[in-house]
Amino acid sequence: MLRWRCALGLAVAVCHPTGCGRPAAPPAPASASATAPPELELTVATLNLYHDKEAWPERRVPIAAALRELRPDVIALEEVIGHETLRNQAESLAEELGYQLTFSSTDPPGRPLRYGNAILTRHPVLRSEWTRLAPLDDSRTAAHVRIAVGGRAVNVYVTHLHYKVEGGAVRAEQLRDLLAFIEETDGGAPSIVAGDLNAGPDAPELAILDGRFASSYDALHPGARDDPAHATLNPHFFPDDHRRIDHVYLQRGRLEPLESRIILDRPTAAGRWPSDHFGLVTRLRVSPADPMGWRDPSVAPDARAARLLAAMTLDEKLRLLRADFGDASDRHPMPPGARRSAGFVPENQRLGIPALHESDAGLGVVTRGAAAGRAATALPAMLATAASWDPDLAYAGGAMIGRQAWRRGLNVLLAGSGNLQRDPRAGRNFEYAGEDPLLAGTLVGHAIRGVQSSPVVSTMKHFALNDLETGRNSHDARIGEAALRESDLLVFELANRIGRPGSVMCAYNELNGAHACEHAWLLRDVLKGEWGFAGWVMSDWGAVHSAGRAALAGLDQQSAGEVFDREVYFDRPLRDAIASGQVPMARIDDMAGRILRTMFVQGLFDRPGETGAVDLEADGAVARRIAAAGAVLLENHGDLLPLGRGVRSIAVIGGHADVGVLSGGGSSSVIDPRGDPVTGLSPTTWPGPVRFHPSSPLRAIQALAPRARVRFASGEDIRAAARLAGQADVAVVFATQWTAESFDVPTMALPGDQDALIAAVARANRRTVVVLETGGPVRMPWLERVGAVLEVWYPGARGGEAIADLLFGVVPPSGRLPMTWPRDEAQLPRPQIAGAGLGSKEPPAAVIDYDVEGANVGYKWFAARGLEPLYPFGHGLGTTSFARANLKVVSGDGPLRVYFDVTNTGARPGIDVPQVYLELPPGSSTPLRLIGWHKLAVEPNKTERVGVVIEPRLLESYDARAGRWVVPPGRYRISVGGSAGERGLVQELQLPAPR
Ligand code: BGC
């Protein structure tokens, strides 16, 4: 039995689109005694399931029995379906057989009603992903897994092409998409493509996939294709065109077909099942090309790492365990071979180990000097991605920056920031994904997946509880175990499961009295032990305090210690620790082995960074989409937005909106290749400079209202700005709040005179729209007087255009707050942050007591304390209205599923983000939890039935005394609504669900 269940917020997360599954098994300790892999046989079965939809409950039993007997290494399933009462076919087969599942579907994430292609395997999955094929309809996806079988790595792809579409154009597009996907993901290992490639009468398997593959079928049944009698071999050929084979295996690399036969026949005319279900099986031999070498991509990463380790000297191993600063500093010149990035491990020329080029960060490539110029596209703040509530967009953003990194010869991206927002003033909130563990864990996980879809390692950081910047290098963050597990650690647990980051960066702060980078419980017991994390732990820059203690606790690599730490602990002091016996050689092998294995898994050896052109136009479009989807419309009185195209005059005021949009500061701040349109703002040095991206809202507004008189006032002269506003039909006033790494802002007030400016503008013109470019919630003393408020966070490289799209309704606003918006600081667990503010002279607190709120972060704190925020978590307006009805909660078979109807009751098309909450029984330590959501577009007067699969972890609470997750028995309530404060549909539920 599989222990996991696919789940929603996490369907998004666990199953979609990566596929359900536990993380890959931790690496076997790399042993020096690796021997040549034996010759290996691989059995792959492929089945088409579509036509079994009615008969599935009955059909499942004999199919599972046949497969159990055959024990294929891999099962490729095409045209999988599921519906409200029936579990997805692939899920139920996977569970029945105990196989891991990877599912690909173009269905919106989080819906249990899923249709697509799937791969099941009983072997460890090294990586998995899927892609859409043109045209973008139901089953046109390709799924991929790379598995480790008998010490070898093999890729399996399954797809189902669009045979119905006549004409070559669509097929050619699909073929191109499929081949590009294979080239991007195969890592040089042998590949098998299974499924239905019958894209038309003239395309025997699309000319055997563009001449790059061979066909098992043709190899084993020569001439059969031209013989009408070959129906005996292929049960599903089309009588009018026997050359078409509906199921194929194409392979390349070191794969030799041994056998191909029918395993499940098509039913006879009098058959029991109203189905033309069928399946084929192929057996192949995997022959090693380089049996002893780590260079052979068909050898599994663990075995490659073990062989390489066996060839390495101690010096060579130790060199992997410390990265240098990859740029020039005032203390050191840039190391030879580095690319002006944050971290650098030189290449090992003797053994051909590629250099590691570690570059910031999660919002785009920050590095200044990497090859191929400085092309970099800044994503919006991660808060915008979180506010989109859209895992697909998180993936797209990650994929874009991962590709750019790779194209610039960088192979580690210091991305995946998943610290929880506990305070709206925290300086790095903009890099993080808000206050809720499910939302943040899901979106950060998908962003990591995106980055790692290129041969680039992503980190997940800052592990853990670096939730405030003030005194981050010294403060001790204190919290009880259960609260920690249910809050900050839950974000990382989910993100790790979804994203499988290659590396985890431990944080600066102490956690309950021990430095995060030498915290054995955190790194060794929880991360590597319980969660099965198979990658390497790197330190944050300046977070290491010891050699032996840190190494034994689980730190695998010190980052830029020569610049940021007191000592390069992982050089001489680590050697001393080995010599004294404090650190055993096995641990050194484990440390180096984890780095090497991850490099193999991510393809760093086989697909070295390609310095090539970056498509800034296409990449900018990704940033623009996220900015638009993540903007939150907080207020919209009298339907002020969207602005009509007929508007005659617009006053644009403040925020440097004539030239650009603001970016957050610190190590994640992307240097825009187009230059910075605003310079000289303080601070000009670390954590500055304060940067703007040259994406002018003013120009974008003018472009969408070409006939309107659009004028700008900087806002420095408040009276002049108010005068301009008074003369216009509409005033759009921009307010900015710069936040940055290394400090927290002392208050929630907008800096400078901006409140006075907005108040004056609103007095002059009630039709005032406030656009906020802030790192999070701010106080809004002028709120009653303005017409609309749009929070766009830091909107990235195409922010100006995205803002204009929203103002004019080119894109409907669909963002929802990923945090609670407090009225003021008095509502927070810590009304003051000692020492907050850039350059504050006040000493920071030595201890931060997070037990004040514990796991009750954000909306949970407000609910527990009975406080009314200004806007609840999940709030966001659209330009239409929705009604939700007919809640049904299904428990029993598989994970809990929640169904309800969403009706667009307004006049415009719109996007709803209904949210599912769990209200815990009275007396529980947490009152309320987000347990799932779904984002969907609904046309006016249309109703959509929504299904949400619930991630089981969200029903559990951590019992610290028993040391495990439990579902405390009791009466719970499931509620559905538009925010944590508006949950109209409610159903009671007894948990644990009766089995
Ligand atoms: C930050 C990390 C960053 C590193 C390298 C540190 O100050 O906390 O997030 O990746 O620097 O620039």
Side-chain angles (χ1 to χ4, degrees):
M1 265 308 255
L2 293 185
R3 287 206 318 270
W4 49 263
R5 293 278 195 283
C6 294
L8 181 36
L10 276 204
V12 192
V14 194
C15 321
H16 180 101
T18 40
C20 301
R22 284 170 283 177
S31 105
S33 61
T35 51
E39 282 232 320
L40 187 87
E41 279 184 22
L42 190 74
T43 306
V44 184
T46 177
L47 279 73
N48 183 315
L49 294 179
Y50 178 73
H51 301 282
D52 265 324
K53 60 187 161 204
E54 277 82 33
W56 180 246
E58 190 191 352
R59 267 300 258 166
R60 179 176 115 176
V61 179
I63 289 175
L67 290 171
R68 197 173 293 118
E69 197 174 318
L70 188 66
R71 257 177 79 72
D73 298 282
V74 183
I75 304 167
L77 303 174
E78 323 162 32
E79 296 200 275
V80 175
I81 52 132
H83 58 70
E84 188 161 325
T85 51
L86 190 66
R87 302 238 352 252
N88 170 308
Q89 295 164 323
E91 274 173 32
S92 49
L93 265 188
E95 179 160 310
E96 202 141 342
L97 298 169
Y99 280 35
Q100 271 203 69
L101 168 67
T102 295
F103 191 70
S104 70
S105 172
T106 53
D107 284 344
R111 302 195 68 171
L113 204 172
R114 290 175 299 142
Y115 179 61
N117 301 310
I119 302 177
L120 275 54
T121 179
R122 59 185 171 84
H123 297 287
V125 172
L126 300 171
R127 71 181 267 176
S128 66
E129 59 245 300
W130 67 277
T131 191
R132 298 191 154 101
L133 304 176
L136 305 180
D137 72 352
D138 284 342
S139 64
R140 309 316 154 193
T141 64
H144 165 233
V145 294
R146 192 182 312 150
I147 54 170
V149 38
R152 321 300 304 276
V154 179
N155 297 297
V156 180
Y157 297 85
V158 61
T159 190
H160 178 93
L161 296 191
H162 205 303
Y163 69 92
K164 283 185 197 134
V165 178
E166 293 309 330
V170 170
R171 296 198 302 267
E173 254 187 276
Q174 291 186 339
L175 172 64
R176 203 190 53 222
D177 288 355
L178 178 62
L179 282 172
F181 179 58
I182 295 171
E183 303 300 342
E184 259 175 41
T185 54
D186 74 354
S191 299
I192 303 162
V193 182
D196 184 347
L197 298 179
N198 257 309
D202 56 342
E205 284 80 274
L206 294 165
I208 313 298
L209 227 49
D210 211 31
R212 289 180 236 187
F213 281 74
S215 152
S216 310
Y217 184 86
D218 290 315
L220 294 164
H221 310 292
R225 214 181 257 278
D226 296 315
D227 174 3
H230 88 300
T232 51
L233 294 172
N234 174 15
H236 199 58
F237 80 103
F238 291 79
D240 54 340
D241 177 18
H242 59 263
R243 287 179 55 76
R244 294 175 62 174
I245 305 170
D246 205 42
H247 259 48
V248 296
Y249 294 99
L250 306 181
Q251 72 279 331
R252 71 171 176 187
R254 285 174 287 283
L255 292 171
E256 182 196 336
L258 301 174
E259 183 195 11
S260 162
R261 66 183 161 89
I262 299 164
I263 46 166
L264 294 158
D265 209 345
R266 166 188 213 191
T268 60
R272 276 177 65 205
W273 300 296
S275 157
D276 55 358
H277 170 89
F278 58 91
L280 290 181
V281 64
T282 279
R283 216 157 39 84
L284 305 111
R285 180 183 298 132
V286 191
S287 56
D290 174 14
M292 287 310 293
W294 54 88
R295 292 186 189 89
D296 182 351
S298 75
V299 174
D302 287 334
R304 293 176 83 181
R307 281 189 212 135
L308 183 46
L309 264 184
M312 287 170 81
T313 63
L314 176 60
D315 278 354
E316 286 172 328
K317 291 174 193 171
L318 287 173
R319 193 60 194 86
L320 282 178
L321 309 186
R322 60 186 165 88
D324 300 333
F325 189 48
D327 203 345
S329 73
D330 43 11
R331 290 196 244 163
H332 294 270
M334 186 165 88
R339 297 187 170 159
R340 302 200 65 190
S341 71
F344 168 65
V345 178
E347 174 192 15
N348 177 327
Q349 285 184 349
R350 183 178 84 87
L351 296 168
I353 305 173
L356 289 178
H357 296 281
E358 303 171 350
S359 169
D360 283 301
L363 307 179
V365 178
V366 168
T367 300
R368 289 154 191 278
R374 288 173 37 174
T377 303
L379 287 172
M382 187 63 194
L383 272 184
T385 301
S388 78
W389 294 58
D390 186 343
D392 280 355
L393 273 186
Y395 177 87
M400 186 272 278
I401 63 174
R403 209 165 41 237
Q404 287 197 347
W406 186 59
R407 281 285 159 93
R408 295 178 57 180
L410 305 165
N411 52 16
V412 180
L413 207 46
L414 307 172
S417 295
N419 296 87
L420 209 52
Q421 172 165 336
R422 286 174 180 266
D423 194 303
R425 298 160 296 182
R428 296 187 90 168
N429 283 343
F430 73 92
E431 292 184 57
Y432 303 153
E435 72 185 22
D436 181 74
L438 177 65
L439 181 67
T442 304
L443 294 186
V444 171
H446 282 275
I448 292 170
R449 275 187 53 240
V451 170
Q452 295 196 155
S453 65
S454 289
V456 168
V457 171
S458 175
T459 58
M460 177 170 86
K461 69 185 187 183
H462 309 87
F463 195 60
L465 219 65
N466 184 177
D467 294 350
L468 286 173
E469 289 296 282
T470 308
R472 65 175 179 174
N473 294 83
S474 55
H475 73 231
D476 180 13
R478 297 233 179 114
I479 190 165
E481 183 183 352
L484 179 61
R485 296 246 193 195
E486 292 177 18
S487 58
D488 287 65
L489 284 196
L490 186 51
V491 182
F492 289 118
E493 181 182 348
L494 297 174
N496 176 53
R497 199 193 310 161
I498 297 161
R500 298 184 188 179
S503 183
V504 164
M505 188 191 293
C506 50
Y508 285 123
N509 51 285
E510 289 180 18
L511 171 64
N512 294 329
H515 290 292
C517 288
E518 46 188 56
H519 206 299
W521 176 81
L522 187 67
L523 305 180
R524 205 186 52 205
D525 300 350
V526 175
L527 176 70
K528 293 178 178 176
E530 290 177 32
W531 300 350
F533 172 69
W536 86 92
V537 176
M538 69 166 76
S539 69
D540 202 341
W541 275 233
V544 185
H545 303 271
S546 63
R549 204 168 51 236
L552 291 176
L555 179 66
D556 301 305
Q557 188 185 59
Q558 180 179 12
S559 308
E562 80 285 12
V563 175
F564 294 91
D565 288 309
R566 190 163 298 157
E567 242 185 292
V568 185
Y569 292 102
F570 277 18
D571 193 3
R572 179 164 294 279
L574 186 56
R575 277 171 205 280
D576 294 346
I578 299 166
S580 73
Q582 184 194 7
V583 175
M585 264 317 289
R587 173 66 186 125
I588 300 295
D589 282 349
D590 177 46
M591 294 158 84
R594 283 171 173 274
I595 297 170
L596 294 171
R597 174 189 186 275
T598 307
M599 292 172 72
F600 285 124
V601 169
Q602 273 306 114
L604 269 51
F605 281 76
D606 309 319
R607 296 180 64 213
E610 211 181 60
T611 52
V614 167
D615 184 346
L616 287 174
E617 210 36 55
D619 292 351
V622 175
R624 180 173 177 169
R625 241 174 45 230
I626 297 173
V632 182
L633 183 60
L634 296 170
E635 298 284 349
N636 192 20
H637 298 293
D639 284 346
L640 178 52
L641 294 182
L643 300 176
R645 296 292 173 106
V647 61
R648 281 164 309 160
S649 56
I650 305 173
V652 176
I653 294 164
H656 300 279
D658 52 337
V659 289
V661 290
L662 184 61
S663 149
S667 59
S668 68
S669 173
V670 174
I671 303 164
D672 202 299
R674 300 164 296 178
D676 191 334
V678 183
T679 51
L681 296 183
S682 175
T684 51
T685 55
W686 174 261
V690 177
R691 289 204 174 94
F692 281 70
H693 297 293
S695 170
S696 155
L698 179 72
R699 247 174 291 146
I701 289 170
Q702 181 73 78
L704 289 184
R707 283 198 292 279
R709 183 150 193 245
V710 183
R711 287 192 294 163
F712 179 72
S714 72
E716 267 168 57
D717 179 342
I718 294 182
R719 264 197 281 169
R723 217 173 309 123
L724 190 73
Q727 293 159 3
D729 282 353
V730 181
V732 185
V733 55
F734 286 77
T736 58
Q737 176 209 36
W738 186 71
T739 61
E741 178 182 344
S742 82
F743 74 99
D744 305 311
V745 293
T747 79
M748 284 175 60
L750 279 172
D753 291 338
Q754 297 185 95
D755 284 332
L757 172 68
I758 298 168
V761 168
R763 260 196 306 273
N765 190 339
R766 275 202 78 81
R767 287 165 57 82
T768 288
V769 180
V770 179
V771 178
L772 295 173
E773 292 172 25
T774 65
V778 289
R779 272 190 258 144
M780 297 190 283
W782 31 259
L783 189 60
E784 297 300 313
R785 282 187 247 142
V786 301
V789 182
L790 182 67
E791 169 63 86
V792 300
W793 324 105
Y794 304 135
R798 295 287 188 281
E801 290 89 340
I803 292 168
D805 287 345
L806 291 157
L807 293 177
F808 288 95
V810 178
V811 177
S814 65
R816 300 291 185 267
L817 287 176
M819 83 289 281
T820 309
W821 195 292
R823 290 178 187 279
D824 54 34
E825 297 84 342
Q827 292 189 314
L828 299 171
R830 280 162 292 281
Q832 273 95 37
I833 306 172
L838 190 58
S840 166
K841 296 277 175 289
E842 189 189 3
V847 169
I848 304 200
D849 178 11
Y850 286 117
D851 277 326
V852 174
E853 73 276 32
N856 287 337
V857 179
Y859 61 89
K860 297 164 187 161
W861 166 259
F862 278 75
R865 294 286 164 128
L867 295 167
E868 267 292 309
L870 186 57
Y871 302 112
F873 171 81
H875 166 78
L877 303 174
T879 45
T880 184
S881 50
F882 295 100
R884 304 176 195 96
N886 300 327
L887 173 63
K888 181 169 147 198
V889 178
V890 179
S891 61
D893 176 26
L896 196 72
R897 282 165 289 164
V898 175
Y899 297 87
F900 49 90
D901 294 334
V902 174
T903 305
N904 182 343
T905 52
R908 294 196 187 93
I911 297 173
D912 194 19
V913 187
Q915 300 148 40
V916 185
Y917 291 90
L918 181 74
E919 295 172 37
L920 287 88
S924 305
S925 57
T926 294
L928 184 69
R929 274 184 205 147
L930 178 76
I931 56 171
W933 75 89
H934 182 57
K935 186 168 190 172
L936 77 164
V938 191
E939 293 298 314
N941 297 317
K942 285 275 174 340
T943 298
E944 298 278 345
R945 184 96 177 132
V946 171
V948 178
V949 184
I950 306 304
E951 155 63 36
R953 178 63 91 224
L954 269 299
L955 302 179
E956 298 175 332
S957 299
Y958 195 77
D959 181 340
R961 212 168 312 150
R964 61 192 167 88
W965 291 90
V966 295
V967 180
R971 287 208 75 72
Y972 292 70
R973 283 153 59 101
I974 302 279
S975 55
V976 174
S979 75
E982 184 256 300
R983 310 188 306 275
L985 295 178
V986 180
Q987 188 176 317
E988 288 224 334
L989 179 72
Q990 179 71 36
L991 287 177
R995 287 245 129 219

